[in-house]
Amino acid sequence: MSRLRGVLIGSALGLLAAGCASFPEQPGPAGWSAAQQLTPQAGPVPELPGELPKGPAQGQQPGGQPPTPVPPPQGCTDFNPTVIATCLDPVSGVALTDVNQTTGAVTALATERATGRLLKVTKDVPPVEVAKFEVDASGDGGLSGLTLSPTYPEDQLVYVYLTTATDNRVMRIAPGDVPKPVLTGIPKGPSGNRGVLAYDRTGALLVATGDAGNPALAADPNSPAGKVLRIDGAGQPARGNPTAGSRVLASGLKSPGGLCVSGDGTKTWVTDVGASADLLYRVEAGKALGDPAWSWPDRPGVGGCASFTDMVMVAAGGNTPGLLNLPMNPDGSFTGKPEVTGNGEDGFGRLGPLVMLDDTATLVGTVNKKPGGTPVSSDDRVAILVRPTGGPGGRD
């Protein structure tokens, strides 16, 4: 998967720097594209747009020319070249799947929490519905988690986390097949149904689950609720778990919004909604999630996260929309307070899912259509954000 990421993000960033010329549809059965044999392109490192996540046109152009303003959206047409999809419902999950090296077309998957739709999205092409799940979206439930198999180029397997009428569960989707359950029976309640997915460096599937509105379940080692679970592709406990025969990696969650693993696999983070603050935890195998690595009493509405070499980025979709950037030492300790970026008029507003592509960029989905948001005509959107240069604050 790391090779695929390198090829995809290298092609995508080259495309963004070049200005996005053409985005034709790539056909495939049931909305899927055939796995392509991608090879890295030789040549110089592309000149990346600056001062993102505000949008690539906000940075200096080649030769030190002033930035070119991006026109405001017109209906579902968004002129920001980093935007891949527009006019979606609030986006709950994102995953970059393909960059066509001939046309430069960037393709991703996105989930909508309330509608239960899994969509294939390509810029300037109508979304293609890959699957639709019957979900209970009351409270924080619905279709909330999305990740690709670590061997996606070969098997094109996709995993989702969703709330049904009776439980929360993990499902697997393969091209040309009906979705199959991987892990069922995760407790459902009036709240605490949100769940998110990621993979660790061994290829095990990580599943962060809510407590179903019952904190006692999060503390119960026999319940899958309120946990970070580590399972294999069949839903069984992954080899090397802290307790043999148990899926539990760590416990103590309430309603997780983001789960991310660093590029080198040494650090795992999960965001959560605590009783009195929004929280970021560092996950340590076999240990309860005790004191958070960072907390936000002002409740910015934490969502997805990305663990870069020198900072952790957390998406915010509530009181403080944008990105919360925590500068970090190599050992995972923080060196300063988080700085908020991408929350001005030239940002994307409220953000939900956030997935690191490499150490320079992320894929994000917006949640501006949520109650209290201020959507533009092209919301909600999926976009690629290049991280600020010169450190977490983006200042050289």
Side-chain angles (χ1 to χ4, degrees):
M1 193 63 181
S2 59
R3 176 179 175 274
L4 174 65
R5 278 182 176 173
V7 174
L8 291 183
I9 191 58
S11 300
L13 293 181
L15 169 67
L16 297 184
C20 300
S22 175
F23 295 87
E25 169 70 346
Q26 300 174 46
W32 292 77
S33 297
Q36 301 191 18
Q37 298 301 315
L38 304 180
T39 55
Q41 297 292 309
V45 177
E47 181 175 347
L48 301 181
E51 285 301 313
L52 289 171
K54 299 175 183 179
Q58 301 299 322
Q60 286 294 108
Q61 301 300 309
Q65 297 300 313
T68 302
V70 177
Q74 295 181 6
C76 292
T77 300
D78 198 301
F79 300 99
N80 190 326
T82 67
V83 173
I84 298 172
T86 62
C87 289
L88 305 179
D89 267 24
V91 180
S92 56
V94 290
L96 186 66
T97 59
D98 181 54
V99 176
N100 186 306
Q101 293 188 355
T102 301
T103 65
V106 179
T107 299
L109 293 177
T111 53
E112 297 174 332
R113 184 185 70 84
T115 69
R117 294 197 302 167
L118 171 65
L119 303 168
K120 187 183 82 167
V121 295
T122 304
K123 189 176 180 71
D124 298 329
V125 174
V128 176
E129 185 176 292
V130 174
K132 185 173 183 179
F133 300 91
E134 293 296 326
V135 298
D136 181 353
S138 59
D140 58 354
L143 181 57
S144 59
L146 169 67
T147 195
L148 304 179
S149 161
T151 53
Y152 180 81
E154 291 77 35
D155 56 35
Q156 291 203 318
L157 294 178
V158 177
Y159 292 84
V160 296
Y161 189 96
L162 58 94
T163 309
T164 72
T166 58
D167 68 355
N168 291 290
R169 58 179 57 189
V170 178
M171 302 284 288
R172 181 180 66 238
I173 306 102
D177 197 4
V178 296
K180 300 290 180 63
V182 172
L183 181 61
T184 63
I186 301 169
K188 174 191 175 186
S191 62
N193 296 302
R194 187 167 62 164
V196 284
L197 306 173
Y199 269 92
D200 69 11
R201 61 179 171 180
T202 70
L205 179 60
L206 303 181
V207 184
T209 69
D211 67 1
N214 182 357
L217 293 179
D220 182 354
N222 298 312
S223 173
K227 307 293 193 302
V228 178
L229 308 175
R230 184 171 177 269
I231 60 176
D232 62 21
Q236 297 303 309
R239 182 176 300 178
N241 277 2
T243 301
S246 172
R247 300 180 177 91
V248 177
L249 185 69
S251 58
L253 292 172
K254 181 179 177 66
S255 179
L259 181 64
C260 55
V261 180
S262 62
D264 63 4
T266 62
K267 294 178 282 292
T268 299
W269 310 88
V270 63
T271 66
D272 196 16
V273 177
S276 58
D278 288 353
L279 307 170
L280 174 68
Y281 290 107
R282 183 165 179 183
V283 179
E284 297 185 73
K287 296 183 180 179
L289 299 169
D291 293 333
W294 201 270
S295 64
W296 291 270
D298 56 336
R299 292 203 181 277
V302 294
C305 61
S307 181
F308 295 97
T309 300
D310 58 353
M311 78 173 182
V312 174
M313 178 185 288
V314 177
N319 297 328
T320 309
L323 295 167
L324 309 168
N325 306 306
L326 282 156
M328 182 180 65
N329 287 316
D331 65 359
S333 61
F334 296 131
T335 62
K337 295 181 179 180
E339 181 169 353
V340 181
T341 60
N343 63 334
E345 293 182 0
D346 49 4
F348 286 113
R350 298 182 179 215
L351 304 177
L354 176 66
V355 175
M356 185 177 73
L357 302 178
D358 70 356
D359 211 44
T360 68
T362 60
L363 187 69
V364 301
T366 71
V367 290
N368 290 310
K369 287 182 179 177
K370 286 190 351 180
T374 53
V376 299
S377 67
S378 60
D379 274 323
D380 273 305
R381 295 169 283 178
V382 176
I384 292 177
L385 300 184
V386 179
R387 59 168 285 185
T389 57
R395 298 183 178 88
D396 294 320

